[in-house]
Amino acid sequence: MTLLIPETYPKKLIDKNGKRLDGRALDELRPFKCKIGVLANAHGSAYVEHGKNKIYAGVYGPREVHPRHLARPDKGILRVYYRMSSFSVHERKSPAPNRREREISKIIEDALAPTLFLELYPNSAIEIFVQVIAADGGTRCASTTAASLALADAGLPLKSLVAGVAAGKVDGKIILDCGDIEDKAGQADIPAAIRMTDEEYTLLQFDGEMTPEELETAISYVKKGAREIFAKQTAAIKEKFERIRQETDAENKKIGKTDINPDDDMLGDEDSMDMPLELEKGLERVKEDKTKSSDKSSKPEKEVNTLKEESK
Amino acid sequence: MTEANTDIRQIVVPGEILTEDSNFLPGRGAIRKGNKLISIYIGLKEVRGKYINVVPLRGKYRPEIGDKVIGKIVDITSVKWRVDINACDTGALKPKDSMDVYDKRSQRGRAKVSSRELEFEAMKKFGLGDMLIAKIVSVDRVSEPVITTVGESLGKITEGTIISVDVPKIPRIIGKKGSMIKLLKDLTTCRLFIAKNGLVWIRGVSPELENLCIEAIRKIEREAHTTGLTDRIQYYIQEKKQERGLK
């Protein structure tokens, strides 16, 4: 496709000091930031900033499959919708889903399915919607990272989180985490996603030319990068809940409650799984009492007052 | 067993190694991988004797027999209602499961009306969009859950507010032996019904108290993984009541 505004790439992508266009070392990641629970209506959601990539992912389900004939009686299905916003790239992208988006949806699906227990959800579907707000090379990897976080946020049982990162070859040198220009002007590109508990690859694509030795270096870079991303994913999740804990500890001190037995009053106590029966039974009784009392109190107060005054 | 019951329960993420000690067994929310135990949820790690559990912080409702749920009628066919119960599948409510009293007209010996006609009549009872408190009668992997509205405190909801909360945090809203729900009822004088599927029915004497109750529940939901919650909620409600001049 011819671009209306042609993109120009610099001749040298790596300078004399071995630094890249944005000043990174060869095996250095772009700045990475993530957050969970960002969309109110989704069952689980996540937001990822990887370099200049800005990506939202939302998880819905497990829920009914539409059209119904796609449902499988033995296990659930996972469906991913990867979409790029029309303003996310250099030149406007048509909002209609294209071949590339369908491909990336498919590979994200394949990258995440091995972490799910799909056999728990017969006849239902888990749907992930990935929306790229800004693209800066390596969106498929960043989208996989985001989608994995969103699945975890939805509370679905997962074998592991997945971290995605790409390696590439630029000016004859292997680099980690290609940026937009390195991706387009480079000689090779290896997007990968890794299931972090056993470090198995769930996504590995290859585009370009490399010698076997270079490939090995690239793979080692990818592993290193994925571990860094995984550490940041984990930290982001924990930070969210730890922050609330710190806030509440301060509140506890404020109200003068310091002698807390942590075992006493905690989520997941089996005692508190059921609503006590006497309370449930009381519900009916309370209902009647309250209606009677509220009728009495609500209706007349003003009238009674005025009547009293009149009588005086 | 080297690991003692830690003071504050750690927050773990899916795939995180809980222990490499082979004496422990995987409990709820944990699986074994080689000689390691790993978590499968974002949740709180908890050691109970030989077992290591992970209590999830988010999750979807999975129906179980006997659960009392709040549902919304989303579809009416000629033989049943389909009720959205906040689970993977919609629940099925059949007319015979909604008839409170056994109709005398169909008693043996003097059947003036066939049971089919009675059921047809009963189908007029609920309309689209009605909210119900119902109980789950049967669940399996193959068919949709069947629910009933016959029983104590079950039936159509005609008043009040319904809010939805995270399902794993329901035990915290109820509290140990119902302590939290008692507190909410006493301080806000609201009537509450907490359904297992993450919906809470609230009816307050005044809208202000109802709002306060909802805010308190939202606070419980947000801070479900912290300690000393009951006291904090008590303080919170009392403070807000004073601030807003509520009785």
Side-chain angles (χ1 to χ4, degrees):
Chain A
M1 194 178 74
T2 51
L3 292 173
L4 290 175
I5 314 158
E7 278 185 284
T8 49
Y9 308 125
K11 271 189 184 170
K12 287 214 91 158
L13 295 172
I14 296 174
D15 69 6
K16 282 176 253 164
N17 306 327
K19 296 280 181 195
R20 288 148 73 181
L21 291 174
D22 47 1
R24 276 188 288 158
L26 294 182
D27 60 345
E28 196 179 332
L29 281 177
R30 287 176 284 179
F32 179 88
K33 215 167 86 182
C34 60
K35 214 175 159 188
I36 58 166
V38 286
L39 308 175
N41 284 353
H43 297 145
S45 57
Y47 170 66
V48 161
E49 267 184 41
H50 191 159
K52 284 177 197 156
N53 288 315
K54 291 190 170 72
I55 296 166
Y56 281 93
V59 170
Y60 294 81
R63 62 181 182 186
E64 262 176 26
V65 191
H66 289 289
R68 296 287 284 205
H69 68 86
L70 291 177
R72 297 189 52 180
D74 56 339
K75 64 173 191 175
I77 58 170
L78 174 67
R79 289 199 288 192
V80 178
Y81 300 88
Y82 165 96
R83 295 283 178 269
M84 255 174 158
S85 305
S86 44
F87 51 81
S88 65
V89 275
H90 179 66
E91 193 171 88
R92 180 179 183 276
K93 183 207 153 287
S94 156
N98 57 19
R99 187 207 56 80
R100 180 177 166 277
E101 283 172 324
R102 288 180 57 116
E103 177 212 328
I104 295 183
S105 301
K106 177 77 174 67
I107 59 151
I108 295 176
E109 203 177 291
D110 290 349
L112 296 175
T115 66
L116 280 161
F117 296 85
L118 284 173
E119 64 278 10
L120 295 175
Y121 321 107
N123 292 319
S124 33
I126 298 166
E127 286 171 322
I128 309 177
F129 295 84
V130 179
Q131 188 74 36
V132 180
I133 303 297
D136 181 39
T139 52
R140 67 189 69 199
C141 297
S143 300
T144 315
T145 314
S148 172
L149 279 170
L151 280 174
D153 182 44
L156 297 170
L158 287 181
K159 285 168 198 156
S160 169
L161 286 174
V162 175
V165 71
K169 187 179 168 188
V170 163
D171 290 356
K173 281 186 179 150
I174 302 300
I175 56 163
L176 172 66
D177 196 11
C178 311
D180 191 36
I181 295 170
E182 290 165 337
D183 209 358
K184 285 171 182 161
Q187 296 152 300
D189 178 29
I190 307 179
I194 302 182
R195 184 168 76 181
M196 291 313 296
T197 30
D198 43 9
E199 302 209 333
E200 291 275 339
Y201 287 85
T202 57
L203 161 67
L204 192 59
Q205 290 182 309
F206 190 99
D207 180 19
E209 285 175 4
M210 266 188 201
T211 63
E213 293 77 41
E214 281 172 338
L215 182 64
E216 257 171 44
T217 327
I219 293 285
S220 70
Y221 277 6
V222 162
K223 275 215 165 148
K224 175 179 167 281
R227 279 186 203 130
E228 277 176 38
I229 287 178
F230 176 59
K232 283 178 183 168
Q233 277 177 315
T234 314
I237 295 172
K238 290 190 177 176
E239 197 264 327
K240 182 187 169 184
F241 296 104
E242 289 295 352
R243 206 179 53 234
I244 296 177
R245 261 188 185 165
Q246 283 163 9
E247 279 172 27
T248 54
D249 283 349
E251 261 181 69
N252 278 343
K253 266 184 199 160
K254 197 177 123 197
I255 63 168
K257 175 136 179 102
T258 44
D259 53 332
I260 297 162
N261 177 11
D263 252 10
D264 182 37
D265 174 34
M266 229 18 200
L267 193 69
D269 273 327
E270 272 131 29
D271 299 351
S272 56
M273 290 306 278
D274 284 305
M275 203 154 123
L277 207 60
E278 70 268 15
L279 272 179
E280 218 168 86
K281 275 182 183 164
L283 193 75
E284 293 293 312
R285 215 166 42 241
V286 171
K287 240 185 215 172
E288 286 161 18
D289 295 350
K290 279 280 150 57
T291 42
K292 271 177 203 165
S293 62
S294 67
D295 279 350
K296 268 180 208 164
S297 61
S298 66
K299 181 177 36 169
E301 232 168 74
K302 269 190 182 173
E303 289 173 31
V304 171
N305 286 340
T306 48
L307 280 175
K308 273 180 189 169
E309 279 168 23
E310 275 170 23
S311 63
K312 275 175 191 171
Chain B
M1 286 183 212
T2 50
E3 255 167 272
N5 202 343
T6 44
D7 278 352
I8 289 181
R9 289 173 208 187
Q10 255 176 22
I11 290 150
V12 290
V13 301
E16 188 168 326
I17 296 163
L18 297 171
T19 178
E20 295 188 33
D21 189 340
S22 57
N23 286 323
F24 284 105
L25 297 169
R28 272 187 305 155
I31 53 170
R32 185 182 286 287
K33 200 152 210 178
N35 57 354
K36 291 178 235 165
L37 293 188
I38 63 168
S39 161
I40 56 173
Y41 293 116
I42 295 179
L44 303 173
K45 177 183 169 183
E46 176 196 59
V47 184
R48 259 176 208 251
K50 273 174 91 177
Y51 290 91
I52 296 189
N53 300 332
V54 174
V55 183
L57 288 169
R58 294 289 298 272
K60 209 162 182 198
Y61 172 63
R62 295 185 78 85
E64 268 172 48
I65 293 174
D67 282 1
K68 283 181 182 163
V69 296
I70 292 177
K72 182 183 184 182
I73 293 185
V74 288
D75 191 14
I76 305 175
T77 71
S78 54
V79 291
K80 68 178 177 192
W81 291 281
R82 290 176 76 218
V83 184
D84 177 11
I85 53 166
N86 213 9
C88 301
D89 299 310
T90 51
L93 176 62
K94 289 174 184 158
K96 66 171 182 195
D97 288 326
S98 76
M99 290 191 284
D100 287 348
V101 189
Y102 189 73
D103 201 310
K104 276 184 185 168
R105 287 177 294 175
S106 69
Q107 268 177 10
R108 205 194 294 173
R110 42 172 155 152
K112 286 173 194 157
V113 192
S114 71
S115 62
R116 179 169 290 192
E117 272 173 69
L118 279 176
E119 282 180 11
F120 184 75
E121 221 171 82
M123 276 305 292
K124 290 171 188 161
K125 202 168 161 185
F126 301 127
L128 216 54
D130 281 357
M131 303 295 296
L132 310 170
I133 298 183
K135 197 161 90 175
I136 292 177
V137 178
S138 82
V139 194
D140 56 49
R141 265 177 74 89
V142 191
S143 53
E144 55 190 357
V146 178
I147 61 174
T148 176
T149 58
V150 181
E152 201 174 355
S153 74
L154 304 182
K156 189 166 147 181
I157 300 173
T158 52
E159 49 172 16
T161 310
I162 293 166
I163 60 167
S164 105
V165 296
D166 277 350
V167 175
K169 288 161 190 173
I170 289 286
R172 211 64 214 277
I173 298 171
I174 294 167
K176 209 165 210 175
K177 289 170 192 147
S179 56
M180 188 68 89
I181 188 175
K182 260 178 208 157
L183 181 88
L184 286 173
K185 280 184 174 179
D186 290 348
L187 289 182
T188 64
T189 61
C190 287
R191 283 139 61 196
L192 280 169
F193 183 84
I194 297 166
K196 284 274 181 74
N197 63 341
L199 295 174
V200 180
W201 174 85
I202 306 157
R203 177 73 172 127
V205 184
S206 66
E208 289 81 16
L209 283 168
E210 206 169 283
N211 280 344
L212 181 60
C213 189
I214 293 171
E215 279 164 31
I217 290 174
R218 290 279 175 240
K219 190 175 162 72
I220 298 169
E221 194 189 0
R222 181 169 172 267
E223 299 171 5
H225 60 290
T226 60
T227 49
L229 188 58
T230 320
D231 294 294
R232 235 169 27 243
I233 292 297
Q234 188 173 4
Y235 181 79
Y236 174 81
I237 294 176
Q238 282 166 350
E239 194 188 46
K240 291 284 165 191
K241 267 167 99 174
Q242 221 165 32
E243 222 172 78
R244 297 171 195 180
L246 300 169
K247 271 181 200 171

